[in-house]
Structures are given as C-alpha cells and as structure tokens.
Amino acid sequence: MVLFPRILAAFLIALWVYAPAQGRSEEEREGGIIGTGIVGTITHLGSIHVNGLHIQVDDMMPISGSVEPMTAGDLEPGHTVAIVAERVEDGWHARHIRQVFPLVGQVTDFGDGELAVLGTRVNVGETLPDLMVGDWVAVSGLWQDQAVRASRIELLIGTEYQARISGTYLSSDQNGALVVGSSLISGISPQHLQSGDLVRVYGEPKPSGIEATRLETGLFDETVGIIQVQGYYSAPQPDGLYTVLGSGLVAYTERPEMIDQNDSVIRCGQTGRLIDSGVADQDGNGVRDLQAELGC
C-alpha cells in the first residue's frame, strides 16, 4: 500500500511538471498524476541508472515493447528505455517502462566495426558480435545522423519476429517515400506526420527497410509532463528545425552551424518542444528546479 506522504509528494511534483497534452480535456487530466518521461540507456543496475538518475523499479513490473515477454528484473546495462517516473520523497520511482529498440531485423551485411540491419548502419565498436548474415537481432542504442550507435545487440533465436524501427522522421526521400535513418518505410503512407516526430514502425523486413503493417508515434503510453532525453542532435532542416534523434522533441535555430552532431546530449522538453536550460515554463511553477535535478 502506498503511504499518504508519498502520494502527496508525487502530486506536488506533478504540479511542477504539468503541461496540457493536445487533444486531452481538463477532465481527463484530472484523473491521474502526470509523470516525468526519462529516455536513455541503462548504465548500472540496482535498481536501474539512466542518464545519471537512480530510478527504483519493481522487478516484477512488465516491460512493454520487449521482443520477448520480460519484467523490469530482466533489464540489463545497455538496454534503451523510455520510463514514466514519479519523484517522491525517497527518490525516483518507475511506474511504466517501455523497451526502445532503434532496430529489430535481420543482419544483411558486415563492415569495419559495423553491420547493416534494415538498410541502416549499426556502429558496434571495435569488436563485431559473433553473428552471421541472416541472423535476427534486437539493437539497443542511440541514433546518430542516419546510423545507430549500438549499446547492446541481442541475437534472436528463430525467425518468427516482426521487424521494427523506432526513430525520428525528418523528411521523405526524393521519391516521396518515408525514411527513418537510412531505412525505407513502404506499405504505409501516413498523412499527418510532421518533421521531428518519433515513429515506431512494425512489419516485414526488407534489405532496404520495412514493409510496414503498423505505425505508431511517440514513446509513452500515457501523458507525461517534462521529458528528459539522451541522444544526438540531428542536422538542422532548411527551416532551422532540429531534434534530439529518437525523442520526438524539436526546436529551431537561426545558427545551424552551432548544432554539434558529434557528442551526445541530455536535454529536457515539454509538449513536443525542447526547452532551454534554466528557462521556467510560462507559469514559473518549478520546471526550472526539476530541470536542474534532471541535469538538462
């Protein structure tokens, strides 16, 4: 049973990070506490550490988005996750965890310190995993430019899997086809995607990408307030739009040469936008303090 002081503390932090979600009525939002989104790679266990935050988890909590059924106790360093968390009196507590795979598919090629999955390059470092062309793999990690910097690669036994891509849509190719990273998405022509949207695509693997049967947007299954993300900046678009790849959060710049795509960053955002460090929200209701605690 959750104690009253913990509920009160969680409610107060929710007030700090409150931000209306498009399409949701006031009555819908009043039904629950809006959590904080945390997106990044697990670095340590006990419970788990993500982006420098120690987040307590219930080991029996089911993990959504996993390839095989799993619970929080099965998570390992290198896994990439999107967490809905609450800040209560004894620290951060996860109330929902999604496992995020930039790529799930078949290995189609090997190179120097990299391999290819679904038409996208995967940087694996100095030592290539013991894999063969045709093997199914689940790739954890972060997008950088049109490639993925892998933090963990897991061999999937068998072939009864759906291919997946989780990444940022920025623009279509010269033929008007949807592209995520270097992977071509065919089979679905969504009408309302916007540049910078985070998309999750499921379907049949192709050497150049996916024949899609399902497409979803966003990382979270519930409304969140402030979001902390780890990742790499995209190259700014002609209109100045840029994003932290894999986040769904965008911003604009008039100085595109200042956007460094080489080093990973930790940034915060709300309602689909990156927010500047040290800038409180329009009500001045404590977002600045929460940003400082989140390190962004």
Side-chain angles (χ1 to χ4, degrees), residues 54-72:
H54 179 207
I55 304 169
Q56 299 181 50
V57 301
D58 175 356
D59 283 349
M60 299 307 296
M61 176 188 294
I63 302 300
S64 70
S66 58
V67 175
E68 302 286 356
M70 63 185 294
T71 65

Side-chain angles (χ1 to χ4, degrees), residues 73-92:
D74 299 318
L75 291 169
E76 296 285 351
H79 283 149
T80 313
V81 290
I83 302 169
V84 180
E86 295 175 8
R87 183 70 170 90
V88 294
E89 58 189 7
D90 59 346
W92 290 100

Side-chain angles (χ1 to χ4, degrees), residues 150-203:
S151 54
R152 188 180 181 93
I153 296 179
E154 295 172 276
L155 175 65
L156 303 178
I157 305 302
T159 59
E160 299 301 316
Y161 300 100
Q162 270 194 321
R164 303 189 200 177
I165 292 179
S166 177
T168 298
Y169 164 75
L170 287 169
S171 62
S172 300
D173 69 6
Q174 59 186 4
N175 298 315
L178 176 65
V179 176
V180 177
S182 297
S183 299
L184 180 66
I185 312 301
S186 57
I188 289 181
S189 299
Q191 301 299 311
H192 303 292
L193 279 182
Q194 298 182 1
S195 187
D197 280 351
L198 184 283
V199 296
R200 293 181 281 130
V201 186
Y202 304 80

Side-chain angles (χ1 to χ4, degrees), residues 242-258:
Y242 68 98
T243 183
V244 175
L245 292 168
S247 72
L249 302 171
V250 302
Y252 290 85
T253 181
E254 296 180 353
R255 303 180 64 187
E257 71 279 0
M258 299 298 294

Side-chain angles (χ1 to χ4, degrees), residues 12-13 23 65 89 179 186 190 193 211 220 233 237 240 258 289 295:
L12 292 174
I13 195 69
E89 58 189 7
V179 176
S186 57
L193 279 182
E211 180 80 18
F220 303 101
Y233 288 131
Q237 299 294 291
M258 299 298 294
D289 295 334

Side-chain angles (χ1 to χ4, degrees), residues 10-269:
F11 177 72
L12 292 174
I13 195 69
L15 291 179
W16 290 354
V17 304
Y18 172 80
Q22 293 182 356
R24 291 178 62 89
S25 70
E26 194 72 27
E27 290 76 14
E28 288 175 314
R29 289 194 300 271
E30 287 175 355
I33 297 170
I34 295 177
T36 296
I38 298 169
V39 185
T41 302
I42 296 173
T43 55
H44 301 86
L45 299 179
S47 293
I48 58 176
H49 293 251
V50 179
N51 301 346
L53 301 176
H54 179 207
I55 304 169
Q56 299 181 50
V57 301
D58 175 356
D59 283 349
M60 299 307 296
M61 176 188 294
I63 302 300
S64 70
S66 58
V67 175
E68 302 286 356
M70 63 185 294
T71 65
D74 299 318
L75 291 169
E76 296 285 351
H79 283 149
T80 313
V81 290
I83 302 169
V84 180
E86 295 175 8
R87 183 70 170 90
V88 294
E89 58 189 7
D90 59 346
W92 290 100
H93 287 247
R95 73 183 194 203
H96 184 273
I97 302 175
R98 175 186 295 281
Q99 195 168 6
V100 179
F101 293 107
L103 299 165
V104 176
Q106 290 177 288
V107 176
T108 56
D109 197 12
F110 287 95
D112 184 15
E114 62 185 36
L115 49 86
V117 178
L118 303 176
T120 286
R121 218 165 17 94
V122 180
N123 298 315
V124 297
E126 297 180 358
T127 304
L128 281 171
D130 186 15
L131 299 170
M132 301 175 59
V133 169
D135 283 344
W136 276 83
V137 292
V139 180
S140 299
L142 302 175
W143 287 93
Q144 184 178 23
D145 196 13
Q146 294 179 303
V148 173
R149 296 184 66 90
S151 54
R152 188 180 181 93
I153 296 179
E154 295 172 276
L155 175 65
L156 303 178
I157 305 302
T159 59
E160 299 301 316
Y161 300 100
Q162 270 194 321
R164 303 189 200 177
I165 292 179
S166 177
T168 298
Y169 164 75
L170 287 169
S171 62
S172 300
D173 69 6
Q174 59 186 4
N175 298 315
L178 176 65
V179 176
V180 177
S182 297
S183 299
L184 180 66
I185 312 301
S186 57
I188 289 181
S189 299
Q191 301 299 311
H192 303 292
L193 279 182
Q194 298 182 1
S195 187
D197 280 351
L198 184 283
V199 296
R200 293 181 281 130
V201 186
Y202 304 80
E204 295 298 319
K206 301 292 182 182
S208 60
I210 286 183
E211 180 80 18
T213 57
R214 187 166 98 248
L215 185 148
E216 301 170 353
T217 59
L219 287 169
F220 303 101
D221 292 336
E222 60 182 85
T223 301
V224 293
I226 194 168
I227 300 172
Q228 182 223 49
V229 296
Q230 175 193 30
Y232 292 86
Y233 288 131
S234 69
Q237 299 294 291
D239 61 356
L241 179 145
Y242 68 98
T243 183
V244 175
L245 292 168
S247 72
L249 302 171
V250 302
Y252 290 85
T253 181
E254 296 180 353
R255 303 180 64 187
E257 71 279 0
M258 299 298 294
I259 303 301
D260 185 356
Q261 299 172 249
N262 297 314
D263 295 324
S264 65
V265 296
I266 293 177
R267 289 290 305 272
C268 285

